[in-house]
Amino acid sequence: MRTLIKHVLATTEPRDEVAVKGWVRTRRDSKGFSFLEVNDGSCLANLQVVVDAGTPGSDQLAHFTTGASVAIDGRLVPSPAQGQKWELRATKVELVGLADASYPLQKKGHTAEFLRTIAHLRPRSNLFGAMFRLRSRLAFAVHEFFQQRDFVYVHTPIITASDCEGAGEMFRVTTLKGNLEEKPQTDFFGRRTYLTVSGQLEGETFACALSNIYTFGPTFRAENSNTARHAAEFWMIEPEMAFCDLQGDMALGEEFVKAMARYAREHCAEDLALFAKFVDRGLPERLQFVIERPFIRVPYAEAVELLKKSGKPFEFPVDYGLNLQSEHERFLTEEHFKSPVTVYNYPREIKPFYMRLNDDGRTVTAMDVLVPGIGEVIGGSQREERLDQLLENMKSHQLKPEEYWWYVDLRRYGSVPHAGFGLGFERLLMFLTGVANIRDVIPFARTPGNADF
Ligand code: 4AD
Ligand code: MG
């Protein structure tokens, strides 16, 4: 029976008959024996294997090169070497798969840019192994967070006919050939369809039945912004709560971000240490900070005033009624408040139709959570639950209520105040690891001009 290396290394007593399988990271030959460093991806650390000349299978040892896959049986004994508790004294070694000298991941460190060109092999590097183990643990933590709070997980559709955000950034889904606009009613679904930008609208229908729900799935945006924070395909977590207002929404969002930071620190310590060492030295301090400090809440109008008074030479203009750009968001969280910041009550003109209009008639109950190094990690709002006002909003956004009839119905039958938000999973991972490019926190990045692998 094979044992994963993470369990081998966590052993408390010497053991006979340990079997491991993995990939060779390095081999060093000495007179009469060889050292192998083997990694199986179960943890960051390698297992050191000592192979004496004459060990069954060792006639193949010349082929145990970097990248080759191997199976090794042996005895686990305390290691005399520095920095490791155990080593495996091989009793049998077997070459499973060759890797010749063209194997691109050699021992020396590689740049993230180079590793993107070999996205199929980069999970075998220390950095990406750590990233994707962490990603997996955090995905589990997301579910745990919501399940513990009695939220119901809803699978919202990936193919949809409605543009939730109204930004016109949707990928068309079609089986039509030739002119797509000629007869959309003859298309597969009998209408124009797209990849979803958000599960929110469908999520709201379930919140207005099951009270507290969340979605966690892929979303797609045909946004042609080639930045380090935008991907065309990304994963979003969207909770939605019935009988909840903006205050409750902000509280959940802030608690969620804190809980994820805490979880990463408690459950991914070895991998986080790698990021702290090689990617972002300030990482431990930043996590500590987010876990301990309350988030600052500031209305949009006040944030705009702060930005104007800052005297900073921003690239993009700052004025009431304009969107905050990432440089503005980062100024607020990194320089002005030096703390995570929740900006709320944005001008209605720059936000989608579904947000609830405030009594001032000018602003909507939107909120964005901004964190250092990233800017916006969460976008959410209280939803417009009043039928008349929703119809009015749709009109001013040039949307046809009949195309959203089921969404409008929620306001006809037992409408309730409700609120929710979306958290970009990749942005959260960037924040928790210090990795600066979204292409390096998702297994296979989809960005403009790039869908390889
Ligand atoms: O602010 P957004 O557009 O909000 C919504 O989609 C709402 N329907 C959510 C809701 O209220 N249920 O997106 C939410 C979050 C952003 O804060 C950001 O973290 C992430 O999704 N995001 C992206 N992440 C990566 N690449 C992109 N192109 C992203 N666009 C948004
Ligand atoms: Mg947003």
Side-chain angles (χ1 to χ4, degrees):
M1 257 276 281
R2 172 196 188 195
T3 309
L4 288 176
I5 288 173
K6 76 175 214 185
H7 296 307
V8 173
L9 293 174
T11 304
T12 51
E13 297 288 315
R15 272 169 66 191
D16 291 338
E17 294 189 37
V18 173
V20 299
K21 296 180 182 195
W23 293 266
V24 175
R25 283 293 177 84
T26 59
R27 190 188 84 231
R28 277 183 298 127
D29 299 320
S30 277
K31 216 172 156 44
F33 58 93
S34 296
F35 288 117
L36 299 174
E37 294 283 333
V38 178
N39 188 288
D40 67 3
S42 63
C43 62
L44 183 64
N46 302 326
L47 177 65
Q48 174 157 290
V49 181
V50 186
V51 189
D52 290 324
T55 304
S58 64
D59 52 317
Q60 292 294 307
L61 216 52
H63 299 301
F64 281 46
T65 52
T66 301
S69 49
V70 296
I72 295 160
D73 296 345
R75 287 180 299 116
L76 193 68
V77 300
S79 174
Q82 281 273 316
Q84 60 193 25
K85 201 166 155 206
W86 300 110
E87 63 184 28
L88 193 66
R89 291 262 158 182
T91 52
K92 185 181 156 203
V93 298
E94 185 194 336
L95 180 70
V96 178
L98 285 167
D100 69 18
S102 66
Y103 181 64
L105 279 172
Q106 295 300 332
K107 180 144 192 334
K108 71 177 173 76
H110 298 286
T111 63
E113 287 76 16
F114 170 71
L115 290 169
R116 267 174 230 147
T117 68
I118 50 164
H120 60 309
L121 295 173
R122 69 178 183 170
R124 296 195 206 174
S125 68
N126 281 341
L127 195 74
F128 287 93
M131 176 56 76
F132 296 120
R133 278 187 298 273
L134 184 114
R135 187 176 168 116
S136 164
R137 299 304 298 262
L138 261 293
F140 178 76
V142 166
H143 287 292
E144 193 178 72
F145 178 89
F146 287 108
Q147 297 281 339
Q148 279 174 348
R149 288 165 178 76
D150 294 319
F151 282 62
V152 176
Y153 180 32
V154 179
H155 294 120
T156 48
I158 287 171
I159 299 172
T160 177
S162 42
D163 182 0
C164 174
E165 295 306 296
E169 290 166 341
M170 303 181 86
F171 288 102
R172 183 84 176 261
V173 174
T174 181
T175 53
L176 289 178
K177 307 266 184 298
N179 186 350
L180 301 189
E181 299 313 323
E182 212 166 43
K183 282 188 186 156
Q185 67 277 15
T186 64
D187 205 345
F188 189 90
F189 296 105
R191 59 188 303 169
R192 289 186 188 84
T193 50
Y194 309 88
L195 294 177
T196 189
V197 297
S198 160
Q200 179 196 321
L201 302 186
E202 291 90 350
E204 282 185 49
T205 70
F206 272 74
C208 292
L210 307 180
S211 286
N212 291 336
I213 66 98
Y214 69 106
T215 73
F216 186 4
T219 46
F220 307 87
R221 298 199 183 176
E223 205 172 356
N224 203 359
S225 40
N226 231 324
T227 80
R229 278 181 290 278
H230 289 87
E233 176 177 309
F234 63 99
W235 284 62
M236 193 161 30
I237 296 129
E238 296 184 90
E240 190 71 33
M241 296 168 284
F243 306 100
C244 181
D245 62 10
L246 185 68
Q247 295 297 317
D249 200 33
M250 293 196 280
L252 185 79
E254 294 164 356
E255 191 185 335
F256 183 39
V257 172
K258 278 176 187 285
M260 293 302 103
R262 224 181 290 123
Y263 189 96
R265 214 170 57 170
E266 279 168 23
H267 295 89
C268 311
E270 186 192 34
D271 291 326
L272 275 189
L274 182 84
F275 295 112
K277 190 165 171 203
F278 293 112
V279 177
D280 180 358
R281 291 200 168 271
L283 183 62
E285 207 185 325
R286 200 171 71 228
L287 294 185
Q288 179 71 12
F289 199 73
V290 168
I291 290 167
E292 278 180 0
R293 292 274 307 255
F295 287 40
I296 306 279
R297 293 184 186 173
V298 55
Y300 164 91
E302 216 172 283
V304 167
E305 285 313 307
L306 288 172
L307 289 162
K308 279 181 160 173
K309 278 194 242 142
S310 72
K312 282 260 159 186
F314 292 119
E315 188 188 336
F316 293 94
V318 180
D319 213 347
Y320 187 93
L322 297 178
N323 265 313
L324 298 184
Q325 300 294 326
S326 127
E327 58 174 346
H328 308 136
E329 296 174 342
R330 293 185 59 175
F331 169 80
L332 292 171
T333 160
E334 289 164 26
E335 295 183 48
H336 185 82
F337 290 112
K338 297 195 168 51
S339 155
V341 180
T342 309
V343 182
Y344 64 99
N345 287 352
Y346 285 71
R348 61 186 301 193
E349 293 77 19
I350 58 173
K351 288 293 182 185
F353 76 97
Y354 54 73
M355 294 188 178
R356 190 178 198 278
L357 187 66
N358 280 315
D359 292 344
D360 62 14
R362 298 176 69 200
T363 61
V364 287
T365 54
M367 64 109 172
D368 279 1
V369 176
L370 318 178
V371 292
I374 309 290
E376 178 190 342
V377 68
I378 283 181
S381 68
Q382 187 175 334
R383 319 307 188 187
E384 185 53 76
E385 87 284 13
R386 298 161 296 187
L387 179 61
D388 294 352
Q389 189 57 52
L390 182 70
L391 293 172
E392 173 69 34
N393 292 359
M394 294 182 110
K395 204 164 137 197
S396 58
H397 282 85
Q398 274 126 46
L399 295 175
K400 296 196 188 96
E402 55 278 18
E403 286 178 7
Y404 293 81
W405 64 272
W406 51 273
Y407 186 77
V408 176
D409 259 7
L410 296 180
R411 281 73 185 164
R412 282 202 177 95
Y413 307 121
S415 189
V416 292
H418 60 289
F421 63 78
L423 172 136
F425 191 49
E426 286 72 24
R427 295 215 185 154
L428 176 74
L429 294 173
M430 292 168 73
F431 176 62
L432 296 178
T433 58
V435 167
N437 198 310
I438 197 165
R439 293 164 181 79
D440 299 331
V441 302
I442 189 162
F444 298 102
R446 299 288 177 257
T447 51
N450 186 4
D452 296 342
F453 306 102

